[in-house]
Amino acid sequence: MSETILEDIFTKRSQQKKKTSPLNYKERWFVLSQEKVAYYDFDSDKGKRKGMKGSVDLEKIKCVEMVQSEPNTPPERLFAFQIVYDEGPLYVFAKSEDIRTQWIKKLKEMVRFNKDVMQKYHPCFWLDGVWLCCKQEVKQAMGCKVLDSKNGFSSNASRRRGSRKPLPPTPTEEKCVRPLPPQPPETPSPSVGMTVIAEYNFAPVTPQDLELRKDEEYTILEMSDQNWWKARDKYGKEGYIPCNYVVEAENGLERFDWYSKNMNRSQAENLLKTENKDGGFLVRDSSKAGKYTVSLFTKSGGETGGSCRHYNICTTAEGQFYLAERHFFSTIPELINYHQHNAAGMVSRLKYIVSNRALPPSTAGFGYGEWEIDPHNLTFIKELGSGQFGVVKYGKWQGQHDVAIKMIKEGSMSEDDFIEEAKIMMKLRHENLVQLYGVCTKQRPIYIVTEFLSNGCLLTYLREGLMQHPTAVQLLEMCKDISEGMAYLESQQYIHRDLAARNCLVDGNGSIKVTDFGLSRYVLDDEYTSSAGSKFPVRWSPPEVLLFCKFSSKSDIWAYGILMWEVYTLGRLPYERLNNTEIVDQVSRGLRLFRPQLANEKVYNIMTSCWMDKADERPTFQELALTVQDLLYELQ
Ligand code: ADP
């Protein structure tokens, strides 16, 4: 028998592996050995250990951390810690702070080289179907707090391996009816002290900002703001930088101009066709998570205007990479370098790098802590349209950054409340959300300045046939974009309240971004705000909103189903033959939209899952995003 390293009597919370098993707390005798943490029944009178009740193999442990106690916790349960392994968290309560610290320290030390060690964890309990810290309702949901270092240990192995768009957490096992697509390697979180490389130039806007020069190295000093990190350049100068402009220095593919992070198949085809160069290529994330694809444009092969080929980068059992023929390389950059000179099985060699790096991504505000924009820095170029709050114009900020400027018609918005909210909205940053850059509030009318998307409103884009024969992949990719933007909003506990195709915009390469989130709360127009009003989005609302004005992420889910329907009907009006009163009546009695011709059964199933009568039976956006990705994977 393996030697005992630590032993103590702890209270253990039942793990409720079955949904029906009750939540209870029992005293157990815990023993830590070289291989496992085991817990036993014991005879408290005789102080003797009895039969083993369960154990966790040390090699399966992913995280050991304290758990914050709840208000009114009984004294015997004040010092909680969690041992997280593949079956979820095991909650244990020590008798004192010292004992808890001793166990956490020892366990961390023993599991620190485990291969699945987590970077994020939940600091509070999972209780009654919800994480008390972040309110996510999926037990497997990724943690919401980043560990300072990988279980107290930071190594090169923990550095980022070719980052990709973070995937939403895995849905609960109960709801998962078929195997999920493979997950990419978990992207470890960057940490203070690490060296990063600038992917883009950044010119300081406030005195607190630090200039970024593409390809130069910087040291990260502070990461307390989710969008702006404090950094030092090689001359010792310090200041704030947009965190999405840098990548970790070691081995990320982001260093290479041929790598287009977060680009999907149709976007790659669009970009390559626009460049129109024979042998133009890029490397992108494959729809198969964790894998990469080379997209190559060729003018040979007889198709007028040229065509795109997509080659998956394959991996051998030994971890080597190869493309069309079996020429093996130990890294992807070496493989690309080889094929820049040799076609070796492909339609041509990789002749020209086509990059999506021409335009830097949006930042949360133009500079650190900067949300009031000086209107003198804005130039107005043309009118884009008008909406609930008045005219929207396209313009430039400081003569070079494209922006959309909403000029808020006086009396159309409760401005003071909005201005407060804008500070929160500005912190929301996701590639599928239209970025709020700031506001001009020192004059009337006030302006809301946002990211500009050159293809305008999604509804018009769909209705005016701007896609020309949309493919199944294109339509689903639109839905995927929206689901990911919404999954981010959901993770921030932010409710949109008016999700619809008219509130989504399309950028130059066909990506969709959600806009106007939360704005409906500031509209001063009874026709819009009252559910009986003529402008209320009745067609996008679930029964609980129509009947009781109960908004939640689940009412956004309903609207997402309707929005998917708009996408698959290329912009038809939902329930077009019914008026608002008829819709309220019929939808509450179970009427649902029909299956659009372009949607197959699986796609329609997603829509109908969003229209479950009971809000809690609808999926979460995290689950939806995964399901949509899964379907896309099947299509490609
Ligand atoms: P409101 O929020 O006042 O109702 P909208 O957001 O509907 O206004 O904007 C009106 C029109 O302006 C939209 O239909 C769209 O065509 C255009 N527009 C708005 N914001 C942008 C933007 N960020 N980029 C490009 N076009 C935009």
Side-chain angles (χ1 to χ4, degrees):
M1 213 167 80
S2 174
E3 212 173 294
T4 298
I5 296 169
L6 288 175
E7 61 186 320
D8 268 295
I9 310 281
F10 293 141
T11 302
K12 172 188 162 293
R13 195 180 100 168
S14 56
Q15 283 178 282
Q16 292 186 290
K17 288 182 192 161
K18 285 197 208 103
K19 264 192 153 173
T20 46
S21 54
L23 183 64
N24 60 36
Y25 298 87
K26 289 201 173 119
E27 289 226 299
R28 296 284 179 226
W29 185 313
F30 274 73
V31 177
L32 171 63
S33 66
Q34 212 48 258
E35 290 82 39
K36 58 181 187 252
V37 185
Y39 45 93
Y40 299 81
D41 201 0
F42 66 101
D43 184 332
S44 51
D45 295 336
K46 296 191 186 131
K48 265 183 90 180
R49 206 161 93 185
K50 299 205 305 201
M52 187 163 83
K53 286 294 189 186
S55 69
V56 180
D57 290 341
L58 290 199
E59 63 178 27
K60 291 200 179 139
I61 295 180
K62 301 177 185 179
C63 173
V64 183
E65 276 298 321
M66 315 186 357
V67 190
Q68 279 169 29
S69 50
E70 287 302 290
N72 307 324
T73 300
E76 68 276 14
R77 294 212 294 270
L78 276 179
F79 307 105
F81 65 101
Q82 51 185 315
I83 300 173
V84 186
Y85 64 114
D86 45 7
E87 289 183 27
L90 168 67
Y91 293 119
V92 185
F93 303 84
K95 297 243 181 317
S96 72
E97 183 63 81
D98 286 353
I99 298 175
R100 168 165 77 171
T101 314
Q102 183 193 22
W103 273 75
I104 295 180
K105 188 160 172 270
K106 190 76 211 165
L107 274 165
K108 280 189 174 200
E109 198 181 295
M110 294 178 77
V111 306
R112 66 188 192 178
F113 293 107
N114 284 3
K115 62 178 192 317
D116 293 328
V117 174
M118 292 172 1
Q119 301 296 323
K120 283 180 156 189
Y121 75 108
H122 294 279
C124 299
F125 289 101
W126 167 259
L127 193 67
D128 297 334
V130 64
W131 287 105
L132 297 179
C133 33
C134 53
K135 306 287 178 283
Q136 296 190 75
E137 293 171 4
V138 178
K139 196 166 184 188
Q140 268 88 351
M142 194 187 291
C144 52
K145 182 158 191 246
V146 179
L147 285 158
D148 290 343
S149 56
K150 194 169 165 176
N151 271 356
F153 173 74
S154 173
S155 78
N156 285 349
S158 75
R159 297 243 163 124
R160 178 137 129 187
R161 289 152 284 181
S163 131
R164 45 168 295 119
K165 204 166 186 170
L167 271 181
T170 323
T172 41
E173 276 162 16
E174 295 86 3
K175 286 195 186 161
C176 175
V177 286
R178 62 201 156 97
L180 291 166
Q183 290 281 320
E186 200 181 311
T187 305
S189 307
S191 51
V192 167
M194 75 177 179
T195 305
V196 294
I197 291 189
E199 279 192 289
Y200 305 94
N201 289 326
F202 168 71
V205 172
T206 73
Q208 286 161 288
D209 297 341
L210 178 68
E211 179 182 0
L212 287 180
R213 291 165 297 263
K214 187 173 180 305
D215 296 330
E216 283 193 11
E217 291 196 345
Y218 297 81
T219 309
I220 299 301
L221 305 175
E222 193 191 295
M223 301 166 73
S224 47
D225 189 288
Q226 67 200 53
N227 297 306
W228 295 87
W229 292 346
K230 193 165 187 189
R232 185 190 307 122
D233 68 11
K234 61 183 179 192
Y235 309 106
K237 212 162 164 231
E238 295 181 4
Y240 287 89
I241 57 167
C243 66
N244 53 335
Y245 276 41
V246 293
V247 286
E248 206 165 343
E250 287 217 355
N251 73 28
L253 292 186
E254 291 88 342
R255 300 186 67 172
F256 299 92
D257 282 339
W258 40 251
Y259 177 53
S260 290
K261 187 162 55 168
N262 303 331
M263 183 171 279
N264 62 37
R265 188 188 179 102
S266 353
Q267 290 163 347
E269 293 194 352
N270 274 344
L271 187 64
L272 291 168
K273 282 184 182 153
T274 313
E275 289 284 321
N276 196 26
K277 281 187 180 149
D278 183 52
F281 80 101
L282 54 87
V283 179
R284 60 183 173 87
D285 297 336
S286 157
S287 54
K288 193 166 174 180
K291 300 269 180 215
Y292 300 94
T293 301
V294 176
S295 297
L296 172 63
F297 182 77
T298 173
K299 291 193 172 172
S300 57
E303 283 172 56
T304 42
S307 61
C308 291
R309 307 287 160 89
H310 303 273
Y311 301 91
N312 291 328
I313 299 184
C314 312
T315 323
T316 64
E318 293 77 40
Q320 292 217 299
F321 299 102
Y322 66 96
L323 260 180
E325 283 177 1
R326 299 177 76 80
H327 298 282
F328 304 116
F329 299 90
S330 44
T331 66
I332 293 179
E334 284 172 80
L335 168 110
I336 297 301
N337 182 40
Y338 172 81
H339 286 283
Q340 284 180 294
H341 301 97
N342 306 282
M346 290 188 298
V347 66
S348 87
R349 71 180 174 87
L350 308 176
K351 294 184 197 161
Y352 299 98
I353 297 174
V354 175
S355 172
N356 69 343
R357 304 256 178 102
L359 288 176
S362 311
T363 51
F366 288 123
Y368 173 68
E370 191 78 352
W371 61 280
E372 181 74 46
I373 290 176
D374 181 350
H376 294 109
N377 286 330
L378 297 171
T379 334
F380 295 85
I381 297 177
K382 71 166 189 197
E383 194 167 313
L384 293 169
S386 59
Q388 184 64 33
F389 298 116
V391 177
V392 183
K393 290 195 174 170
Y394 160 63
K396 295 268 185 194
W397 177 75
Q398 288 201 335
Q400 42 171 329
H401 289 270
D402 286 330
V403 290
I405 307 154
K406 262 188 202 191
M407 307 168 80
I408 306 300
K409 193 169 58 191
E410 281 177 75
S412 68
M413 174 184 265
S414 60
E415 295 181 356
D416 292 344
D417 293 342
F418 167 74
I419 292 166
E420 266 314 297
E421 176 71 9
K423 295 176 197 164
I424 296 168
M425 285 182 177
M426 271 193 51
K427 290 195 189 293
L428 300 170
R429 181 174 56 81
H430 188 276
E431 64 212 40
N432 299 112
L433 295 185
V434 175
Q435 183 64 49
L436 172 62
Y437 288 138
V439 285
C440 305
T441 64
K442 305 268 184 263
Q443 55 171 49
R444 292 294 175 273
I446 64 165
Y447 300 157
I448 301 179
V449 182
T450 67
E451 177 181 3
F452 166 72
L453 280 89
S454 60
N455 273 315
C457 167
L458 173 62
L459 187 58
T460 317
Y461 191 78
L462 291 166
R463 286 187 176 167
E464 294 185 354
L466 296 174
M467 279 186 289
Q468 291 171 4
H469 314 299
T471 61
V473 171
Q474 268 176 321
L475 295 175
L476 205 54
E477 271 171 353
M478 290 184 159
C479 299
K480 176 172 179 263
D481 285 349
I482 301 166
S483 67
E484 291 186 351
M486 289 303 299
Y488 170 80
L489 275 192
E490 177 184 70
S491 74
Q492 305 293 308
Q493 284 120 52
Y494 206 98
I495 307 171
H496 189 302
R497 292 164 193 259
D498 194 7
L499 181 62
R502 64 180 172 279
N503 281 330
C504 294
L505 294 167
V506 189
D507 82 1
N509 65 17
S511 295
I512 314 293
K513 303 194 185 206
V514 177
T515 186
D516 286 350
F517 27 93
L519 267 195
S520 62
R521 288 169 295 164
Y522 307 102
V523 174
L524 291 179
D525 179 351
D526 288 346
E527 289 302 324
Y528 182 92
T529 50
S530 147
S531 63
S534 59
K535 295 187 196 158
F536 190 85
V538 169
R539 291 166 205 273
W540 287 261
S541 300
E544 75 272 10
V545 167
L546 297 174
L547 303 174
F548 317 112
C549 283
K550 190 173 181 303
F551 290 93
S552 64
S553 289
K554 297 291 188 186
S555 55
D556 280 352
I557 288 277
W558 178 289
Y560 175 85
I562 310 280
L563 167 48
M564 263 188 100
W565 186 91
E566 293 182 275
V567 169
Y568 278 88
T569 55
L570 304 180
R572 276 174 68 174
L573 179 71
Y575 321 96
E576 55 201 338
R577 288 176 212 283
L578 304 184
N579 65 29
N580 281 358
T581 324
E582 288 163 339
I583 293 170
V584 176
D585 180 47
Q586 303 220 26
V587 167
S588 4
R589 286 202 273 137
L591 174 80
R592 297 295 180 264
L593 291 165
F594 60 83
R595 175 166 73 82
Q597 261 181 6
L598 293 175
N600 63 23
E601 274 305 327
K602 286 185 177 171
V603 169
Y604 188 54
N605 282 345
I606 303 183
M607 294 180 203
T608 51
S609 72
C610 299
W611 303 329
M612 298 296 283
D613 221 4
K614 292 202 181 109
D616 58 4
E617 287 174 6
R618 297 173 206 149
T620 62
F621 280 108
Q622 289 166 343
E623 289 167 331
L624 274 181
L626 260 181
T627 314
V628 173
Q629 159 150 346
D630 199 6
L631 267 191
L632 252 180
Y633 174 47
E634 279 175 23
L635 277 179
Q636 295 184 17

